[in-house]
Amino acid sequence: MMPHQRLRRRGADPARTLAYQVLRQVTADGAYANLATHQALAEAGLDARDAGFVTELVSGTCRLQGTYDRIIAAASGRKPGSLQPELLDVLRLGTHQLLSMRVPQHAAVDAGVELAAAHVGEKVAGLTNAVLRKVAARDLDAWIAELTRHEDALGALATRTHHPRWIAAEYVALLGDEAEAALAANNVNPAPTLVVRPGLAEVAELEGDPTRFSRFGARRPGNPADVPAVREGRAGVQDEGSQLVAAALAAVDPAPPGPWLDLCAGPGGKAALLAGLAMASGETLVASELAEHRARLVQQGLRAYTGANAPVTLCADGTRPAWADGAFAKVMADVPCTGLGALRRRPESRWRRRPADLDELVGLQRRLLTSALRAARPGGVVAYVTCSPHTRETVEIVLDVLAASATPVERLRTADLLGVPDAAREGGWSAQLWPHRHGTDGMFMALFRVGH
């Protein structure tokens, strides 16, 4: 019997089937949950209610995946790795419905059994039923209490807030007693934040509530493509924190005349904002991106800018620059990072990342910041930005690179220039945004002026 025939016979519904297919892309193929969900929904033609159900089912399951795996292990008596990956994803989806959504127990269990039979095989239907019924015997708080009975304070914090221990440890080191609120904020899915392309659109056109700190943005629930300015490329989607760091670099004065550089421009949010601000200053932005597909995204995001000083997109390696030293007046180095500051938008990242990832990333980050400093002309301004608060990716990178620099580099009062309250880090020469404090992604920024 073909899978689709079993699906009709068992009655597995389209929304849960779609959520299962997306989750398989995330867990088996390394897809990003938000992008895979968006693409699947665009092709599926579900109504708004079912689309919302799929979105919550996928994002919520990914966000609490580590916690759910421990619950499934306790309920099944098996380690998650010993279960078929397809079955494990069915059980994760069922667990999320039972413990974190307003889905009646019988509906969640029956739907899980139907999904397992349709996509894994009839022989696992009984196991699926038994495991999900054991999961349903406790609510989430009771499961958390059970899981944390023998854990130390840090382990209990990590479990309560649904993070790996190593991430919770870094938050505690940075925030102390404030860490729990910060970790909890990573579990709140934010409304889309829109941004104008300066000179091409006004904030009123975004049809949302103006952002708290950025003068370029607005928050608006729903599909951003419903906004005409977004469809036309005169506005886009960009977190407020990302808007703020781009605007802070643009606003630094004095700075020498000359073009601006976005060193790692993909996927293009900061580049699109910087391009408009550069044009308003009579300058041109050069947006450089190593990966060809991301360079195309950058170019698409810049498509509405035309005429004099229109931005230029390059596909180039920032560590092996295609430009001469001292070519740019302002340089944005928003470097690849763990993304620990954007966990609320990338729910799968907390379980996908490992501490060992830092070892590879920090070397690249050092090379990119070094390249950015060399690209700036005397008196030029450089911004080092990551979407992570982790000390190894932020403060340590800056101090290491500046210590090794042959050219004098002045650290600017970044927190003052950013203009956001309660964002100062390291005495103010750097700044850290936080979801729980500022309602933004957790962006780190440090600004420098390159000497002669």
Side-chain angles (χ1 to χ4, degrees):
M1 187 177 294
M2 297 297 291
H4 68 279
Q5 293 174 315
R6 285 204 307 267
L7 181 76
R8 287 198 297 268
R9 181 172 68 77
R10 300 287 305 187
D13 67 274
R16 288 182 173 88
T17 298
L18 190 64
Y20 168 79
Q21 292 168 344
V22 172
L23 186 60
R24 289 301 299 145
Q25 292 179 48
V26 174
T27 59
D29 303 329
Y32 293 108
N34 58 344
L35 299 180
T37 302
H38 177 77
Q39 181 176 350
L41 290 175
E43 297 171 355
L46 299 180
D47 62 29
R49 180 179 178 182
D50 281 348
F53 182 83
V54 170
T55 300
E56 168 54 28
L57 190 49
V58 172
S59 64
T61 299
C62 289
R63 188 173 292 116
L64 273 69
Q65 177 182 313
T67 303
Y68 291 158
D69 284 358
R70 294 178 64 189
I71 292 171
I72 291 166
S76 67
R78 304 184 186 187
K79 294 181 179 180
S82 70
L83 296 167
Q84 291 175 261
E86 297 83 358
L87 176 58
L88 181 57
D89 279 343
V90 170
L91 294 173
R92 287 165 171 164
L93 292 168
T95 299
H96 186 61
Q97 293 170 71
L98 287 167
L99 301 183
S100 300
M101 296 179 72
R102 295 178 180 177
V103 177
Q105 177 180 328
H106 67 87
V109 173
D110 290 350
V113 171
E114 291 163 359
L115 201 59
H119 292 277
V120 186
E122 296 279 354
K123 63 182 180 180
V124 301
L127 174 61
T128 303
N129 180 72
V131 173
L132 290 180
R133 288 188 180 279
K134 287 185 179 180
V135 169
R138 293 184 172 101
D139 63 17
L140 183 57
D141 288 341
W143 273 114
I144 296 298
E146 175 64 21
L147 294 176
T148 57
R149 273 196 308 142
H150 303 297
E151 290 185 325
D152 62 11
L154 179 60
L157 172 65
T159 300
R160 283 197 308 274
T161 58
H162 314 293
H163 288 76
R165 183 184 178 95
W166 71 276
I167 295 178
E170 182 66 16
Y171 272 64
V172 170
L174 291 169
L175 294 168
D177 292 341
E178 199 180 343
E180 183 150 9
L183 291 164
N186 289 339
N187 298 327
V188 179
N189 192 30
T193 305
L194 308 183
V195 61
V196 296
R197 307 294 188 232
L200 302 179
E202 301 295 331
V203 171
E205 295 182 67
L206 302 180
E207 303 174 5
D209 297 324
T211 42
R212 181 180 174 190
F213 303 111
S214 171
R215 61 189 178 93
F216 301 105
R219 287 189 172 84
R220 181 187 183 278
N223 186 355
D226 292 340
V227 178
V230 174
R231 292 198 303 272
E232 296 161 7
R234 298 183 297 108
V237 179
Q238 185 183 17
D239 177 73
E240 186 180 9
S242 180
Q243 297 177 36
L244 288 167
V245 296
L249 171 62
V252 177
D253 186 52
W260 300 4
L261 172 66
D262 189 347
L263 187 67
C264 311
K270 292 182 188 68
L273 181 53
L274 284 169
L277 296 174
M279 291 178 73
S281 300
E283 305 292 357
T284 298
L285 176 77
V286 176
S288 176
E289 170 56 43
L290 174 61
E292 289 186 14
H293 71 283
R294 288 168 64 87
R296 288 193 293 270
L297 291 175
V298 175
Q299 194 166 35
Q300 176 70 8
L302 299 175
R303 69 189 185 280
Y305 289 116
T306 59
N309 300 119
V312 176
T313 303
L314 297 178
C315 187
D317 185 347
T319 66
R320 299 176 180 178
W323 47 82
D325 289 354
F328 297 97
K330 292 187 177 182
V331 181
M332 168 64 73
D334 179 12
V335 299
C337 67
T338 56
L340 299 186
L343 295 180
R344 58 188 191 146
R345 296 184 188 276
R346 300 172 187 168
E348 75 288 338
S349 291
R350 69 187 70 181
W351 309 113
R352 185 175 289 173
R353 288 293 189 185
R354 297 290 183 268
D357 295 337
L358 286 165
D359 296 331
E360 180 178 350
L361 283 166
V362 295
L364 175 61
Q365 291 160 353
R366 287 191 188 96
R367 294 193 298 274
L368 286 168
L369 178 53
T370 299
S371 179
L373 293 172
R374 288 174 179 167
R377 59 188 48 179
V381 180
V382 174
Y384 176 77
V385 171
T386 72
C387 192
S388 171
H390 200 290
T391 302
R392 288 189 64 192
E393 301 184 88
T394 55
V395 175
E396 289 185 8
I397 294 291
V398 171
L399 295 179
D400 287 352
V401 171
L402 295 192
S405 176
T407 302
V409 179
E410 176 191 1
R411 293 183 299 188
L412 302 181
R413 295 287 303 174
T414 303
D416 296 341
L417 292 164
L418 191 66
V420 176
D422 202 22
R425 188 167 172 181
E426 301 299 317
W429 66 258
S430 63
Q432 182 72 58
L433 299 173
W434 294 98
H436 71 293
R437 288 184 189 173
H438 308 110
T440 70
D441 285 350
M443 307 295 297
F444 171 88
M445 183 181 201
L447 287 162
F448 317 99
R449 190 182 303 281
V450 176
H452 295 271

